[in-house]
Amino acid sequence: PFTVMRNHLERKARVNIRELFPDPKIPQGEKARGSLEKIPTLNELGFSDNEIEIEPDKNIVLHFVGGESEALKRLVHFTNTALKTYKDTRNGLIGADYSSKYSPWIANGCLSPRYIYWKTREYEESHGGQTVHTYWLIFELMWRDFFKFFCVKHGNSVFYLEGPKGQRRSWNRDSKLIAAWKEGRTGVPWVDANMRELRRTGFMSNRGRQNVASYLVHDLGVDWRFGADHFESLLLDHDVCSNYGNWVAAAGLTGGRINRFNMSKQAKDYDKEGKFVKLWCPELKALPSHQVHAPWELTSAEHEHYGSLDYPRPVKQPRSYTSHGSNGKYGNNKKFKKAKNFKGKGRVHRGRNQDFYTH
């Protein structure tokens, strides 16, 4: 499990992170062999104008532009403006700086985890040492490494229905349920808002990814591979090991702890005022904050009053707000123990949720 690897690396192992390579020298005069004089346009690569989205969705958290130069600009911006509050904001949903958003550039080879590591260490040296926020950013990079090693160890079994542990379960493959989940029409606003964001922008927060995965496999009982495949087809930051490793773990097929989230509880914890839901589910924008996460409780007359008649009824009745937890056991609100490996400023608690690699 991840915790074993983390404890070993932080407390027992002598791990020396390799230094960065020096910047390559660009040949002067005669062009380097194999260099591109001109980068082809998307049209030249065979895409039609209709296939090329000129303007990103107006609600996208960040206008992601490819390439190393843009990746480095993002790293400088986040390090200088938002790293100092990262641990407090990383479960956010709206805006560019609640998390680093490095993952699309990492996934496409524009930015290396090692570069992020050393730049974070440079930040620590110039700001009085390690903080809870810098610790947590590197902690997230460790999750990425964990799933690389996880896939090396388990090989193709990561893609099997039964997972690495060979655990057999009866899975649902109802095409209507799967389509409702993909399109953001489950009737559960918290799920639908996240799925619509993914569908329209190619991005979803880490909190959202954990929740929609839990909903698909545990609430709807759908074959987890449909979820992994859908993420693979849409995510700007898709990484095979992180994606399939997280999904097979979310399905409870790795022998580790199972996180089964209560959608109503999660929505009220992380979107208390309903701003995120109203952003992506405009049918619900007129609902009061205390009702936006449970529109199925409204009468037809109330739906007509708020203009929300077009919002779908739940494909499955959600569990109540009061039940919450993991492994099918709810109501455990004990605080997590302080992480023993953190030596900096502030407090770090042992993370209990897996990480869907958004950083």
Side-chain angles (χ1 to χ4, degrees):
F2 171 75
T3 302
V4 174
M5 172 183 147
R6 172 192 174 190
N7 289 339
H8 181 74
L9 291 177
E10 292 183 335
R11 294 191 296 190
K12 300 177 182 178
R14 292 182 177 271
V15 179
N16 295 317
I17 307 298
R18 290 178 296 168
E19 297 288 339
L20 296 172
F21 291 120
D23 292 336
K25 295 181 179 180
I26 300 175
Q28 301 296 319
E30 184 179 350
K31 291 184 174 63
R33 182 178 300 175
S35 65
L36 290 173
E37 294 184 14
K38 178 178 177 294
I39 298 177
T41 65
L42 291 175
N43 288 124
E44 291 170 339
L45 290 173
F47 292 92
S48 67
D49 290 336
N50 291 333
E51 293 175 305
I52 302 172
E53 184 181 12
I54 305 302
E55 293 294 332
D57 191 282
K58 62 183 177 65
N59 293 331
I60 192 170
V61 290
L62 181 68
H63 185 190
F64 295 100
V65 178
E68 183 187 36
S69 297
E70 292 293 330
L72 296 179
K73 284 168 56 178
R74 175 61 188 172
L75 185 143
V76 170
H77 168 81
F78 184 80
T79 301
N80 291 338
T81 62
L83 179 54
K84 61 186 177 183
T85 59
Y86 174 69
K87 175 62 166 60
D88 299 331
T89 64
R90 65 175 296 274
N91 279 310
L93 301 164
I94 300 173
D97 293 338
Y98 65 78
S99 66
S100 73
K101 311 293 190 304
Y102 293 155
S103 54
W105 287 289
I106 296 175
N108 288 283
C110 306
L111 187 63
S112 75
R114 192 179 353 152
Y115 189 85
I116 297 168
Y117 173 86
W118 283 114
K119 290 302 176 181
T120 303
R121 290 305 188 206
E122 286 181 15
Y123 173 89
E124 290 175 343
E125 289 179 8
S126 62
H127 288 77
Q130 187 186 57
T131 70
V132 64
H133 309 291
T134 58
Y135 174 89
W136 211 261
L137 182 65
I138 293 173
F139 167 87
E140 302 298 354
L141 292 175
M142 202 181 300
W143 263 112
R144 179 179 290 273
D145 280 356
F146 169 77
F147 280 115
K148 297 292 186 187
F149 290 120
F150 179 85
C151 288
V152 169
K153 177 180 179 179
H154 295 291
N156 288 340
S157 66
V158 172
F159 306 104
Y160 295 168
L161 177 62
E162 299 85 4
K165 293 297 181 181
Q167 295 172 269
R168 292 186 177 275
R169 284 176 55 184
S170 178
W171 292 102
N172 190 341
R173 296 182 178 84
D174 187 318
S175 60
K176 291 183 179 179
L177 282 181
I178 295 169
W181 178 80
K182 288 181 177 181
E183 297 166 11
R185 296 185 293 100
T186 67
V188 180
W190 175 239
V191 174
D192 291 346
N194 279 290
M195 294 305 296
R196 292 181 190 188
E197 180 185 27
L198 173 63
R199 186 179 179 87
R200 287 166 53 181
T201 72
F203 191 82
M204 188 193 298
S205 70
N206 177 56
R207 178 57 47 183
R209 297 183 199 200
Q210 292 182 58
N211 275 262
V212 300
S214 174
Y215 179 78
L216 183 72
V217 300
H218 297 301
D219 289 56
L220 300 185
V222 169
D223 181 341
W224 65 272
R225 297 173 301 174
F226 285 100
D229 176 76
H230 186 62
F231 271 29
E232 180 177 2
S233 69
L234 292 181
L235 283 172
L236 294 172
D237 61 7
H238 180 258
D239 174 272
V240 173
C241 296
S242 294
N243 184 45
Y244 281 86
N246 268 294
W247 269 99
V248 75
L253 302 174
T254 62
R257 181 179 186 272
I258 302 173
N259 287 315
R260 181 179 183 182
F261 295 104
N262 179 291
M263 297 302 109
S264 297
K265 174 69 164 60
Q266 290 279 301
K268 292 178 181 180
D269 282 350
Y270 296 101
D271 188 32
K272 186 175 181 179
E273 303 299 321
K275 293 180 180 178
F276 178 72
V277 160
K278 291 182 180 184
L279 183 67
W280 294 104
C281 301
E283 314 97 299
L284 304 176
K285 63 183 179 182
L287 267 66
S289 298
H290 68 280
Q291 292 179 308
V292 71
H293 291 302
W296 54 85
E297 295 178 352
L298 274 63
T299 65
S300 296
E302 288 174 316
H303 275 296
E304 186 171 6
H305 172 73
Y306 291 122
S308 55
L309 284 170
D310 291 337
Y311 188 72
R313 296 286 298 171
V315 293
K316 182 177 180 180
Q317 187 65 30
R319 288 177 290 145
S320 68
Y321 168 79
T322 54
S323 61
H324 177 62
S326 63
N327 292 326
K329 298 178 181 180
Y330 304 96
N332 181 7
N333 293 316
K334 294 181 181 178
K335 290 184 178 180
F336 302 135
K337 295 180 180 179
K338 183 176 180 181
K340 297 179 180 179
N341 314 322
F342 173 62
K343 305 301 182 183
K345 302 173 183 178
R347 289 181 62 81
V348 177
H349 290 86
R350 291 187 179 278
R352 303 292 278 176
N353 301 332
Q354 63 201 59
D355 187 84
F356 258 99
Y357 60 96
T358 59
H359 307 317

